[in-house]
Amino acid sequence: MHALVGREAEQQALSAFIASPEGGALVLRGETGVGKSVLLEHVADLASATGHRVIRAAGAEAEAELPFAGLHQLLYPLLPDMDRLDGVHRAVLGAVFGRCDGPAPSVMAVGLAVLDLLALAASATPLLMVIDDGQWLDVTSTAVCGFVGRRLADSKVKLLVGVRSGVPVGFDSAGLSELHVPPLSREASQQVLDSHYPALAPHIRVLVLDEAMGVPLALVELPPLLSSAPSGHGVEEAFGAGGVPLPRRLQHVYGARVAALTPAVRTELLRGALDGVSARTGSSPVRAVRYRMLNADEAAACGLLDVDPYTGEFVFRHPLVRSTVVRMATPNERRAAHTVLAQLHRQDVERHATHLAAAAIDPNEQVAAALEAAAASARRRGGEAAAVAWLTRAAELSENRESRSRRLGDAAFIAGQAGLLERAQHLVHSGTTHGVPSPAAVAASAYVALYEDGEVCSTHRQLLNVIENIRDRAEGEPHDVLTPLVNLLLVISQYASNCAMWERTHAVLASVKHLIPSNSLVYQDAWSDVLRRGTGLHERVESAFVNFPQLDPWDVARLCDVAYRVGALGRYRSHLQRTMEREREREVGAKAGDISMLHLLLLDQMAAGQWEAAEQTGRRSLELATVRGLTLFAYQSRAYLAVLAAMRGRVEQARELQAMVDSWAAPRGIGLLTQLADTAGTIAALSEGDYEAAYLHASGITHPGTFEPYLHQASGTLLDLVEAALHTGRTEQARRHALAAQTAGLPDISPRLALLTYGVLSMTATNDREAAEMYARAEVHPAGANFPFELARIRLAHGIRLRHNHGRKAARQLLASAATCFEQLGATGWAERARTELRTLDNSSRTSPIPLTSLTWQERRIADLAASGLTNKEIGERTHLSPRTVSSHLYRVFPKLGITSRAALRDALGRLPDLASA
């Protein structure tokens, strides 16, 4: 137990971790050789002694790019329990571990399945999972372990991970508790050194203590080297150079020992190192196939190898030994070792291909095909980064230009879809030097052009051509080639929001409808024209989410977008948040996809009235998009933030963002963003009472009485347009638009549109009976609680109507309710308007007298003309003012008179002499 000298604090913390009745996860972080492995071994022994079952795994450089390799190693002893899982989780783990075919599971789906498996395994005996060298764990395994680790609190499972400090690792952002393992104190270092080398010469002893700097491995390994150095030689001579970091110095120590071995033993060690043989004893007795190092007693005798007590096989004493062996081998020696290992793993498609590729020098179609198969296997299991790397290597080994171009195109497409735009762009350029680019390369180029520069016209045209070419081939194309192209075409069409482009999209998709999955058809109907194609979307989305654990993150985002279009996103917010959390955990993931999911969360928060949270989400999405160079998403974030700022009455901020978005999106023909900019302008103008400007913005999206096809915001601005029209005297246009909403069947499309339709029908009703009936339908509609801002605006409008028709008690109740809601939301403009209406309701006690002189002659003149029923345009013609100037005058008049609409002007102006004399 000498290695635990000076580790009292760490032992106490680890003992408390094991003794805790609750599950949990802990990361041990420390520099190379500081003793993390010894502490992990100590904890494993402690756990075993207290009745825990212990399973172990260790990261290895040789497996760092193999998807789920670490997870397979860790869970291998538990795989017999898979049969006890439910069908969904059994299928997920079966796909990950190659037991069955199936779509690539998300990290969250794998994490949930692993949690279920661990719960079964720990049902009778508490379980401790120990992972050493976590810095070399593959990306997907790291993400799953982080996901699982954060959810062990209420279980009988504990996770302990050792990672090297000073290097970026996936566990950095996992959010797990950490225990730092520092170097030993000088006193503890002396105890360790004296226990190993009690007869060490004093000057060597001081030198070792100085050079080891409290690192136990150095305290054990340096004395023989320094003691054997010729007399008078210093540290530089012993290590080869001064100022070299300690790990490099230790490699020098091990290198001297490796060099002294016979060639046959060095070959055995090299094969073991390249195959990821464990770098410590005490690993799990049940392991995947590894190269068995034979006849290596010579290496064990000189301290390079140990013997595993479970298996009796040789293992490396420390990871630095393993890396030193590889570093000292010549390229030809490494290639020869990889050839042997490829034969050993001929039944494992990914390992076999990895070793074949490492052994190859010249183009070899057989090796390239093996790598292509490995990439397909990795992608099915969620390993996009590995798939890109293997396809790129396959392209390098291709024997003809066509195969090289196709494989580079496939790699580029995967990289583009994952949001690795620089990598995708590089691969596209590499793959199109000769010949015609593959469909995948065209799609990758489209991703780059769309995300980086918002290019919708040319990318739409290119994808149409590719899909048509695939359709026209007699032999057709694989399903997994066509579907991503179709989904990308739909995304581009959605951003363009252009009638002609959508018509071309519908035409080509009709010709390949039998080749694409049902989800793509759902996206087509929702994103193109939900008013005319939205029937049954609720049920189709619900049906798709039945298979949520199997859904790709992109499909989760797309389906949630569809749910938003039909006002049902709140029902699936938990799905969205769980997928977002999983994507955040991945070191390499769908970078565009996670921002899209942030946008959806932002929209849901805005609808639910969680505006402060929405602001934070919007800022986060803008930051991520900017850092990652996804310009399209950066401007989309600004557009949503502009709408939010307008709702909150932050008019200057809203208009600044609106101008930024419009100036970038309009020249590029990105209709979705220009509509959002107009929506922000509409709401900002409504918030400050500039109703003429609000009407101009709203009618710029869709004309009163119509809902333009392929324009998402056409129905979304229903309430805005009607409110602006009523306040500018355009009662006929307002009524026509409300009736058009009813005729178009908006209430059947989504709960929100139903709420808005009943609200505007009440606001524009020609008699009090209809107004009361429609308002009642809006008030009792279940959607009201989910859209508090819209409901409060409807209450405000109906309260004003009641006040004018002498329903003072009912009016006060509605106006007070609206005012309270606006204040809670932070909608300052609407809150002030509601409070003004309340003050006007009882002039005698709540409203200060307003002298006639408080209005300028111009304001009084315009107010009189407005009270007579003239529109702002007609008033402008008589007064030689612009309609906007007229609107600004009325905006100042309304608060002076204690009113909020021109409908109240006549009564207010009629009371002015009485108020002046009061």
Side-chain angles (χ1 to χ4, degrees), residues 470-549:
I470 292 175
R471 177 199 61 194
D472 295 340
R473 292 176 188 169
E475 70 276 11
E477 282 283 340
H479 184 79
D480 58 354
V481 171
L482 183 60
T483 300
L485 296 172
V486 167
N487 289 341
L488 180 55
L489 178 67
L490 291 170
V491 169
I492 293 170
S493 301
Q494 175 188 207
Y495 275 106
S497 290
N498 177 278
C499 181
M501 291 173 69
W502 265 118
E503 292 297 340
R504 291 194 292 273
T505 298
H506 288 321
V508 74
L509 262 58
S511 66
V512 296
K513 186 175 181 179
H514 60 292
L515 299 174
I516 56 180
S518 58
N519 280 359
S520 296
L521 301 178
V522 173
Y523 309 148
Q524 178 186 9
D525 290 342
W527 295 348
S528 60
D529 192 350
V530 72
L531 266 66
R532 295 164 179 83
R533 303 172 68 103
T535 303
L537 279 176
H538 279 282
E539 294 76 14
R540 294 162 73 186
V541 171
E542 185 175 1
S543 175
F545 269 121
V546 168
N547 296 318
F548 170 66

Side-chain angles (χ1 to χ4, degrees), residues 663-797:
S663 63
W664 185 83
R668 291 169 170 79
I670 308 176
L672 179 65
L673 298 193
T674 58
Q675 292 172 51
L676 285 170
D678 275 332
T679 299
T682 301
I683 299 175
L686 287 173
S687 179
E688 66 176 357
D690 190 350
Y691 298 109
E692 186 66 34
Y695 182 80
L696 292 175
H697 280 299
S699 59
I701 297 174
T702 190
H703 296 297
T706 64
F707 295 95
E708 301 291 340
Y710 307 117
L711 300 181
H712 170 58
Q713 293 298 316
S715 58
T717 56
L718 170 61
L719 180 59
D720 303 330
L721 195 154
V722 168
E723 185 175 339
L726 288 174
H727 281 284
T728 54
R730 296 178 172 93
T731 54
E732 179 185 349
Q733 291 93 325
R735 181 62 174 172
R736 187 166 70 247
H737 202 55
L739 292 174
Q742 185 181 41
T743 302
L746 265 62
D748 298 327
I749 300 298
S750 81
R752 178 177 182 269
L753 291 179
L755 177 70
L756 298 186
T757 301
Y758 299 142
V760 296
L761 286 171
S762 171
M763 293 162 63
T764 61
T766 56
N767 59 76
D768 291 343
R769 179 179 178 181
E770 181 190 356
E773 179 184 348
M774 290 295 111
Y775 171 75
R777 296 183 70 175
E779 181 65 51
V780 301
H781 197 281
N786 300 324
F787 302 98
F789 181 56
E790 287 84 349
L791 181 58
R793 289 170 65 182
I794 293 169
R795 285 173 175 168
L796 173 61

Side-chain angles (χ1 to χ4, degrees), residues 4 89 107 111 145 150 210 217 238 244 386 444 513 545 603 642 703 819 916:
L4 292 183
H89 288 163
V107 173
C145 288
R150 289 190 299 278
D210 290 341
L217 182 65
V244 177
K513 186 175 181 179
F545 269 121
L603 291 170
H703 296 297

Side-chain angles (χ1 to χ4, degrees), residues 20-335:
S20 172
E22 295 185 344
L26 183 65
V27 175
L28 268 66
R29 190 183 297 271
E31 62 180 283
T32 302
V34 79
K36 301 183 297 296
S37 298
V38 175
L39 284 170
L40 292 176
E41 184 68 24
H42 168 77
V43 175
D45 291 343
L46 179 62
S48 296
T50 55
H52 286 71
R53 179 184 182 184
V54 180
I55 58 175
R56 309 182 189 194
E61 307 98 311
E63 298 184 351
E65 293 186 359
L66 292 174
F68 295 112
L71 192 67
H72 185 272
Q73 184 188 162
L74 181 65
L75 299 183
Y76 196 91
L78 306 182
L79 292 187
D81 293 328
M82 275 181 53
D83 294 336
R84 299 166 58 195
L85 296 173
D86 64 63
V88 173
H89 288 163
R90 188 167 60 250
V92 168
L93 292 181
V96 167
F97 297 132
R99 289 189 164 193
C100 62
D101 295 329
S106 67
V107 173
M108 184 179 66
V110 178
L112 293 173
V114 170
L115 284 170
D116 198 5
L117 180 63
L118 295 176
L120 288 174
S123 58
T125 304
L127 179 67
L128 172 66
M129 299 182 292
V130 180
I131 302 175
D132 204 353
D133 288 325
Q135 70 276 1
W136 287 321
L137 213 61
D138 61 278
V139 171
T140 45
S141 294
T142 301
V144 172
C145 288
F147 179 91
V148 170
R150 289 190 299 278
R151 292 164 174 80
L152 296 177
D154 296 325
S155 71
K156 295 193 293 182
V157 181
K158 293 180 173 64
L159 171 66
L160 193 60
V161 184
V163 299
R164 183 179 297 176
S165 59
V167 295
V169 297
F171 288 103
D172 291 344
S173 58
L176 304 180
S177 299
E178 292 196 3
L179 176 64
H180 177 60
V181 183
L184 294 174
S185 66
R186 185 80 172 188
E187 181 181 357
S189 298
Q190 291 172 344
Q191 294 180 46
V192 171
L193 188 58
D194 291 344
S195 66
H196 278 78
Y197 305 99
L200 195 63
H203 73 284
I204 297 294
R205 184 174 184 273
V206 172
L207 185 58
V208 170
L209 289 171
D210 290 341
E211 292 298 318
M213 297 179 290
V215 175
L217 182 65
L219 291 168
V220 174
E221 300 289 2
L222 292 182
L225 178 69
L226 293 175
S227 297
S228 63
S231 178
H233 286 227
V235 176
E236 287 78 7
E237 288 80 0
F239 289 117
V244 177
L246 183 59
R248 291 285 300 277
R249 297 189 182 195
L250 291 172
Q251 282 187 332
H252 183 86
V253 173
Y254 294 135
R257 299 179 192 174
V258 171
L261 297 173
T262 61
V265 175
R266 285 203 305 271
T267 297
E268 286 295 299
L269 265 61
L270 179 60
R271 292 173 181 173
L274 291 175
D275 204 30
V277 170
S278 177
R280 62 201 35 82
T281 62
S283 55
S284 173
V286 184
R287 300 181 299 173
V289 174
R290 289 287 184 276
Y291 183 80
R292 294 182 63 190
M293 295 183 287
L294 303 175
N295 302 317
D297 299 273
E298 178 186 352
C302 67
L304 294 174
L305 300 180
D306 282 325
V307 177
D308 191 306
Y310 287 107
T311 64
E313 296 178 4
F314 289 115
V315 294
F316 290 100
R317 184 173 182 183
H318 191 275
L320 281 177
V321 176
R322 192 169 53 195
S323 60
T324 300
V325 169
V326 175
R327 182 177 57 85
M328 293 185 64
T330 67
N332 284 338
E333 289 172 337
R334 289 196 290 268
R335 281 192 288 270

Side-chain angles (χ1 to χ4, degrees), residues 289-575:
V289 174
R290 289 287 184 276
Y291 183 80
R292 294 182 63 190
M293 295 183 287
L294 303 175
N295 302 317
D297 299 273
E298 178 186 352
C302 67
L304 294 174
L305 300 180
D306 282 325
V307 177
D308 191 306
Y310 287 107
T311 64
E313 296 178 4
F314 289 115
V315 294
F316 290 100
R317 184 173 182 183
H318 191 275
L320 281 177
V321 176
R322 192 169 53 195
S323 60
T324 300
V325 169
V326 175
R327 182 177 57 85
M328 293 185 64
T330 67
N332 284 338
E333 289 172 337
R334 289 196 290 268
R335 281 192 288 270
H338 280 298
T339 300
V340 172
L341 295 172
Q343 183 65 18
L344 174 68
H345 295 296
R346 57 188 178 275
Q347 302 300 322
D348 186 325
V349 62
E350 295 181 17
R351 293 181 188 275
H352 177 66
T354 299
H355 289 299
L356 279 179
I361 301 176
D362 300 320
N364 186 313
E365 189 60 29
Q366 182 179 359
V367 177
L371 282 167
E372 198 168 12
S377 172
R379 197 177 180 199
R380 282 194 299 270
R381 300 190 297 119
E384 295 93 341
V388 171
W390 285 335
L391 283 170
T392 303
R393 179 62 172 147
E396 294 171 356
L397 296 174
S398 299
E399 294 181 349
N400 56 70
R401 292 176 178 175
E402 291 75 15
S403 296
R404 177 181 182 275
S405 177
R406 177 179 58 79
R407 286 164 177 151
L408 284 175
D410 290 344
F413 176 81
I414 296 171
Q417 189 177 45
L420 307 172
L421 299 188
E422 290 185 8
R423 181 68 173 151
Q425 198 166 31
H426 173 75
L427 289 167
V428 168
H429 291 161
S430 300
T432 56
T433 304
H434 304 284
V436 179
S438 67
V442 173
S445 297
Y447 272 120
V448 173
L450 176 67
Y451 292 158
E452 286 193 338
D453 196 46
E455 178 56 55
V456 292
C457 296
S458 64
T459 53
H460 184 267
R461 183 171 58 253
Q462 290 168 357
L463 286 172
L464 280 176
N465 291 336
V466 170
I467 294 173
E468 288 171 344
N469 289 336
I470 292 175
R471 177 199 61 194
D472 295 340
R473 292 176 188 169
E475 70 276 11
E477 282 283 340
H479 184 79
D480 58 354
V481 171
L482 183 60
T483 300
L485 296 172
V486 167
N487 289 341
L488 180 55
L489 178 67
L490 291 170
V491 169
I492 293 170
S493 301
Q494 175 188 207
Y495 275 106
S497 290
N498 177 278
C499 181
M501 291 173 69
W502 265 118
E503 292 297 340
R504 291 194 292 273
T505 298
H506 288 321
V508 74
L509 262 58
S511 66
V512 296
K513 186 175 181 179
H514 60 292
L515 299 174
I516 56 180
S518 58
N519 280 359
S520 296
L521 301 178
V522 173
Y523 309 148
Q524 178 186 9
D525 290 342
W527 295 348
S528 60
D529 192 350
V530 72
L531 266 66
R532 295 164 179 83
R533 303 172 68 103
T535 303
L537 279 176
H538 279 282
E539 294 76 14
R540 294 162 73 186
V541 171
E542 185 175 1
S543 175
F545 269 121
V546 168
N547 296 318
F548 170 66
Q550 304 295 329
L551 290 176
D552 178 271
W554 283 98
D555 278 323
V556 173
R558 293 168 184 143
L559 287 169
C560 283
D561 189 281
V562 175
Y564 168 71
R565 302 300 179 102
V566 295
L569 180 55
R571 293 178 55 187
Y572 304 104
R573 187 196 277 201
S574 61
H575 294 66

